Amino acid sequence: YEILIGLVGSEMCIRDREADMKIENIKWYIGWIFFPVWYLIGKKYILLPVIQSVFEETSYQDAYLIANYLWNFIAIVILFSLYGTGILRDIKQIRQYDIKSIASGYIKSFAVIVLFTILGGIMQFILSSGNNEQSINEITLRMTMKEHYWAIMILSAFIGPILEELIFRWFIFSSIKKSLIIKVIVSSVLFGLMHFIPSIGAISLNELCLQSIQYVLAGIAFCLVYIKRGNVVFGIAAHMSINLMHNLMYLVNQGMPH
């Protein structure tokens, strides 16, 4: 009787694990469908037109800023709704490190990102002979920055890095059940695509390819940090720092906004 109960219990445990795996797989599939669609149409074709129609007096820059915030907020809500348990588990693991290890991990992670960013910038500069066109994404951000510097600072230096690291390193990297090299390539290329897709048709194809080099290399650097540290928090911290540094350099060049 006890053996029979044990066999039935084992069978039920196996079925429960299989059911959990099916649910997890469905969540991965939902993410792979939702996030690309949300990126391609969510901001430009859904949020921005709605905001402009509701607030008719709002300028394009203001509407673009509001749409950006709403787009990021909705994406983060969906992300945590689907994968909140796993993400929070990653975040809680940071408690296992002492202050010295956290500081050392952050400094090394930041150094890797800076190194790859500089390398990408040098490659782009050499290949373009010093004649770089700005991407549409960068132009729009700079235009909006003139009137809403601190709002853009929060968006690009804090909210953006959190969302990008969770999507491209935690979600995409983790959901690909292939070799490590495939994971890095797919995650990094998609990271590059996300940044230069808005510029397609607005700048030359040659410049588009050149700009992608820097973003893909940055994506590889963030993947290396994630692989080495085994925790998305270090990548988020390094990503925030590099974006914050970029914004502060803009602030120094343009002067303190009013």
Side-chain angles (χ1 to χ4, degrees), residues 37-38 41-53 67:
V37 171
W38 185 238
I41 68 172
K43 188 188 305 179
K44 185 176 180 180
Y45 298 105
I46 298 177
L47 295 177
L48 192 56
V50 169
I51 291 167
Q52 288 179 314
S53 63

Side-chain angles (χ1 to χ4, degrees), residues 202-220:
I203 62 176
S204 65
L205 180 61
N206 181 56
E207 183 62 29
L208 201 62
C209 294
L210 290 173
Q211 288 186 7
S212 69
I213 293 174
Q214 191 166 8
Y215 287 118
V216 171
L217 282 175
I220 292 173

Side-chain angles (χ1 to χ4, degrees), residues 109 112-113 220-231 234-235:
S109 300
V112 170
I113 306 305
I220 292 173
F222 286 120
C223 283
L224 293 178
V225 168
Y226 186 61
I227 294 167
K228 176 65 177 177
R229 302 297 158 192
N231 194 298
F234 289 99

Side-chain angles (χ1 to χ4, degrees), residues 132-148:
N132 294 332
E133 298 177 47
Q134 285 188 315
S135 67
I136 294 300
N137 186 51
E138 188 172 355
I139 291 171
T140 307
L141 282 174
R142 294 307 176 209
M143 289 174 61
T144 312
M145 255 188 176
K146 292 178 180 179
E147 296 182 5
H148 306 287

Side-chain angles (χ1 to χ4, degrees), residues 28-248:
W28 290 127
Y29 293 140
I30 291 173
W32 274 100
I33 294 171
F34 172 79
F35 291 115
V37 171
W38 185 238
Y39 172 73
L40 292 172
I41 68 172
K43 188 188 305 179
K44 185 176 180 180
Y45 298 105
I46 298 177
L47 295 177
L48 192 56
V50 169
I51 291 167
Q52 288 179 314
S53 63
V54 173
F55 305 101
E56 296 181 358
E57 301 296 323
T58 304
S59 66
Y60 177 82
Q61 285 78 18
D62 289 348
Y64 177 83
L65 179 61
I66 296 169
N68 255 305
Y69 267 93
L70 283 175
W71 185 91
N72 280 273
F73 175 75
I74 292 170
I76 289 175
V77 168
I78 297 298
L79 195 65
F80 273 88
S81 298
L82 292 172
Y83 319 111
T85 303
I87 294 171
L88 291 175
R89 184 171 59 245
D90 240 33
I91 295 172
K92 289 177 181 178
Q93 284 177 352
I94 204 73
R95 297 175 183 173
Q96 299 174 3
Y97 299 89
D98 55 34
I99 297 299
K100 185 178 179 180
S101 298
I102 292 173
S104 174
Y106 163 73
I107 292 170
K108 291 176 181 177
S109 300
F110 182 66
V112 170
I113 306 305
V114 171
L115 179 63
F116 273 74
T117 301
I118 293 173
L119 178 62
I122 292 172
M123 290 177 63
Q124 184 179 343
F125 181 81
I126 292 173
L127 293 173
S128 64
S129 301
N131 299 316
N132 294 332
E133 298 177 47
Q134 285 188 315
S135 67
I136 294 300
N137 186 51
E138 188 172 355
I139 291 171
T140 307
L141 282 174
R142 294 307 176 209
M143 289 174 61
T144 312
M145 255 188 176
K146 292 178 180 179
E147 296 182 5
H148 306 287
Y149 179 84
W150 297 110
I152 291 294
M153 170 73 87
I154 294 170
L155 184 65
S156 64
F158 298 101
I159 299 174
I162 292 173
L163 183 59
E164 289 178 9
E165 289 307 304
L166 289 178
I167 289 180
F168 290 98
R169 257 60 66 180
W170 193 92
F171 167 67
I172 292 178
F173 190 91
S174 301
S175 67
I176 299 172
K177 309 303 180 184
K178 301 291 182 181
S179 68
L180 204 58
I181 294 176
I182 297 298
K183 286 172 174 274
V184 171
I185 291 174
V186 173
S187 174
S188 302
V189 169
L190 289 177
F191 182 71
L193 277 172
M194 187 271 291
H195 283 88
F196 67 74
I197 277 180
S199 299
I200 293 177
I203 62 176
S204 65
L205 180 61
N206 181 56
E207 183 62 29
L208 201 62
C209 294
L210 290 173
Q211 288 186 7
S212 69
I213 293 174
Q214 191 166 8
Y215 287 118
V216 171
L217 282 175
I220 292 173
F222 286 120
C223 283
L224 293 178
V225 168
Y226 186 61
I227 294 167
K228 176 65 177 177
R229 302 297 158 192
N231 194 298
V232 75
V233 173
F234 289 99
I236 290 174
H239 200 152
M240 284 181 174
S241 299
I242 199 72
N243 282 17
L244 182 62
M245 186 174 69
H246 184 73
N247 284 330
L248 289 176

